Amino acid sequence: MTAAFTAKIDREMRVRSECNHSATHLLHEALREVLGTHVEQKGSFVSPDSLRFDFSHFQKVTDEEIRKVEMIVNRKIRENVSLEEHRHVPIAQAKEMGAMALFGEKYGEEVRVVRFGSSVELCGGTHIASTGLIGSMYVVSESSIAAGVRRIEAVTAEGAEKQFYMAQDMIRELHSMFNNVPNLPMTIRKSIEENADLKKQLADYIKERVAALKQHILSHAIDKNGVKLFLYKGKGNLEAFKDIAFQIKGEFPTEEKVFFIAGIEEHDKCGLVIMLSDSLVAGDLNAAKLIKEGAKYIQGGGGGQPHFATAGGKNKAGLSQAIEAILDAAGLN
């Protein structure tokens, strides 16, 4: 059984691929000009939407070097250099023309030479008729992919326009966020510095509050059956109370029987923290088991280790019952 079909080239997608492919030739030459003649192509990928170019180089390409490369490529684009294509050229003649053989590829006796002005390479791919049709090239990223091999990803034509528009939109949005100040970079830098300073002040304040709260809890110790019981119920931060629990445990020798329990209200949630001294754990108390006794009263769950456990829930009204249940289970009521 036979069937007829028609194969058609998507001309728009082909042209976009041609723009990106021809740009890799210009990019290769520009990289050698800026970084040195040690640069050699190690691989590439071209699609209608973008290009990827891998090359040999021993260190990160700086922002300044990338800018120079972009400027060289875009100048070649503006010069609207016409494509010169030479087919069935003897390999020796191609080399005399200055054509570069790429990343160890094997070539036959006859090759195809693609030239855009001073850029001369052996290539079998599709290309744009002249560089002006590329419009412009913009480097999106530069990275390392292997030892001594870097990768540049870039866009051309409509892709470069989209990058330009995105940058414009972002700058407009930033200007709007900072009330259209005349010197945006200085304003953003100042804002970042002020934010870092406020964060430090807040961290110092929290540290002071934690220290004060710890001393308050220590000063209200309750002796129960030879156990020092430290209990807190109220608003707070669960992470801060984890730190307080360990600090309080560290205040006493390992043989001291210390039991720390906290019921914490934090916004619309609540939590429980239990810390036991090693002597209590050795006496068969287990914080992970005790926390489960209380977790059900706050409609939550938790767990941990024999000496330390936490639980979280959503029923703040059940914190008092949870604490009582834990103390009952531990024999401290």
Side-chain angles (χ1 to χ4, degrees):
M1 182 177 179
T2 60
F5 66 91
T6 302
K8 291 185 178 181
I9 293 173
D10 187 323
R11 183 56 189 163
E12 182 182 346
M13 292 185 70
R14 183 186 179 96
V15 169
R16 285 158 53 192
S17 294
E18 288 174 344
C19 288
N20 285 325
H21 189 180
S22 297
T24 62
H25 287 230
L26 304 182
L27 176 60
H28 190 187
E29 184 182 32
L31 284 167
R32 287 171 63 86
E33 182 177 336
V34 173
L35 303 179
T37 54
H38 64 278
V39 168
E40 291 182 355
Q41 182 176 340
K42 294 298 181 182
S44 68
F45 169 79
V46 173
S47 77
D49 300 317
S50 63
L51 67 91
R52 188 177 70 211
F53 190 81
D54 302 337
F55 58 98
S56 55
H57 191 50
F58 46 83
Q59 64 186 18
K60 177 176 174 59
V61 185
T62 67
D63 292 341
E64 293 77 11
E65 289 169 335
I66 288 175
R67 179 60 55 83
K68 287 179 182 178
V69 167
E70 285 179 329
M71 291 173 68
I72 291 170
V73 171
N74 286 317
R75 184 171 65 246
K76 284 288 182 69
I77 291 172
R78 291 193 302 272
E79 289 172 0
N80 197 26
V81 180
S82 296
L83 167 67
E84 293 181 32
E85 179 190 4
H86 304 275
R87 300 192 181 199
H88 308 298
V89 178
I91 186 71
Q93 182 182 337
K95 290 180 179 179
E96 289 177 4
M97 294 169 64
M100 292 185 61
L102 305 181
F103 50 92
E105 281 190 356
K106 294 181 179 179
Y107 297 92
E109 290 299 318
E110 293 185 341
V111 293
R112 177 174 180 246
V113 179
V114 171
R115 179 196 292 271
F116 285 105
S118 55
S119 169
V120 187
E121 294 190 9
L122 304 182
C123 183
T126 185
H127 288 278
I128 207 73
S130 62
T131 60
L133 297 172
I134 299 172
S136 62
M137 187 203 73
Y138 174 79
V139 174
V140 177
S141 67
E142 188 275 346
S143 61
S144 171
I145 60 167
V149 181
R150 310 293 301 181
R151 170 172 292 171
I152 277 181
E153 296 182 69
V155 288
T156 66
E158 292 180 15
E161 287 182 11
K162 289 178 182 177
Q163 287 290 329
F164 175 72
Y165 296 146
M166 285 172 57
Q168 277 191 318
D169 291 343
M170 182 172 61
I171 291 171
R172 287 196 192 100
E173 186 175 352
L174 287 170
H175 268 294
S176 176
M177 289 170 60
F178 289 93
N179 299 316
N180 296 311
V181 293
N183 192 328
L184 183 59
M186 182 182 293
T187 302
I188 292 175
R189 191 176 297 110
K190 182 179 179 182
S191 178
I192 291 172
E193 290 171 355
E194 289 176 348
N195 184 57
D197 186 51
L198 287 173
K199 281 185 176 180
K200 184 179 182 304
Q201 291 181 39
L202 180 60
D204 291 342
Y205 173 75
I206 292 173
K207 189 175 180 180
E208 290 175 4
R209 289 286 297 162
V210 166
L213 189 54
K214 170 191 162 186
Q215 290 304 318
H216 173 78
I217 295 171
L218 283 170
S219 65
H220 288 76
I222 303 170
D223 286 318
K224 284 267 187 156
N225 303 329
V227 175
K228 284 191 177 298
L229 173 63
F230 298 96
L231 191 154
Y232 174 87
K233 178 182 173 296
K235 294 181 179 180
N237 176 271
L238 185 60
E239 291 301 317
F241 271 91
K242 290 179 183 178
D243 188 31
I244 289 173
F246 279 96
Q247 287 187 34
I248 286 179
K249 181 182 178 182
E251 294 279 335
F252 299 91
T254 55
E255 63 273 12
E256 189 89 42
K257 294 180 178 180
V258 176
F259 192 110
F260 173 89
I261 180 170
I264 304 142
E265 297 179 23
E266 186 174 7
H267 305 300
D268 58 340
K269 299 181 292 184
C270 60
L272 294 164
V273 177
I274 298 175
M275 173 66 80
L276 305 180
S277 63
D278 295 341
S279 55
L280 287 180
V281 174
D284 210 26
L285 281 183
N286 188 306
K289 292 180 180 178
L290 291 172
I291 206 79
K292 290 179 181 178
E293 291 294 324
K296 56 189 176 184
Y297 292 98
I298 60 172
Q299 298 176 15
Q305 301 174 29
H307 70 284
F308 177 74
T310 62
K314 56 185 179 180
N315 181 30
K316 294 187 286 186
L319 275 176
S320 294
Q321 286 179 286
I323 291 172
E324 291 300 313
I326 290 169
L327 293 177
D328 283 342
L332 294 176
N333 251 344

